[in-house]
Amino acid sequence: MWEDLGEYILTITDKRPLKIAEIGVGKVDLVYQYLKKQDQVDIIKTDIRPADESVIKDDITNPNLDLYKDVDIIYSIRPPSELQPYLVKLKDLTNAKLIIRPLFNEDLNTGPRKMKLKNYKKASFYIL
């Protein structure tokens, strides 16, 4: 499923090089691992509590916008509902595409912004 999400992320734009940011990576970074192996993909991962030195410390409620300069795609896997509006705000500030993979059966908390449900192979997620 995680490789399917990574594969889909690569299909939504032909732009290369491609800059991607994973927000709130936590300790599991399977999509990141898939994407970083791809040619012409520059990817960062951020979290408020970095699990290791490969994660950049950033607070999505008050993001360091320099980290997201020229980002084409932002994605987040299982972000808490209270952080989802901040992901939409960052998407708007960067003009990037946004993908949220919520917990199973969790409703999104993106306010008036409606995200489109997308199924790709074994992956289900929302895109804006």
Side-chain angles (χ1 to χ4, degrees), residues 16-55:
R16 298 295 185 269
L18 182 61
K19 187 169 181 185
I20 303 171
E22 180 173 353
I23 309 295
V25 68
K27 295 178 182 175
V28 179
D29 65 355
L30 299 174
V31 176
Y32 169 86
Q33 292 299 328
Y34 174 82
L35 291 170
K36 82 172 193 170
K37 294 177 186 173
Q38 307 306 310
D39 290 336
Q40 297 188 345
V41 172
D42 178 21
I43 184 165
I44 62 168
K45 53 185 176 176
T46 68
D47 201 295
I48 196 164
R49 291 182 198 94
D52 59 53
E53 64 281 345
S54 70
V55 181

Side-chain angles (χ1 to χ4, degrees), residues 37-101:
K37 294 177 186 173
Q38 307 306 310
D39 290 336
Q40 297 188 345
V41 172
D42 178 21
I43 184 165
I44 62 168
K45 53 185 176 176
T46 68
D47 201 295
I48 196 164
R49 291 182 198 94
D52 59 53
E53 64 281 345
S54 70
V55 181
I56 300 167
K57 183 175 182 168
D58 192 47
D59 180 355
I60 192 66
T61 66
N62 185 25
N64 174 354
L65 294 177
D66 289 338
L67 292 175
Y68 308 102
K69 186 176 185 207
D70 300 322
V71 163
D72 302 296
I73 301 167
I74 296 167
Y75 72 95
S76 187
I77 299 172
R78 300 181 190 135
S81 63
E82 65 270 13
L83 295 183
Q84 293 171 11
Y86 294 101
L87 290 166
V88 172
K89 184 177 178 182
L90 182 61
K91 176 253 183 286
D92 290 342
L93 289 171
T94 61
N95 201 30
K97 294 193 180 291
L98 173 63
I99 295 174
I100 295 178
R101 170 64 168 94

Side-chain angles (χ1 to χ4, degrees), residues 1 78 101-107 124:
M1 167 180 47
R78 300 181 190 135
R101 170 64 168 94
L103 286 170
F104 184 71
N105 288 336
E106 180 183 51
D107 290 331
S124 295

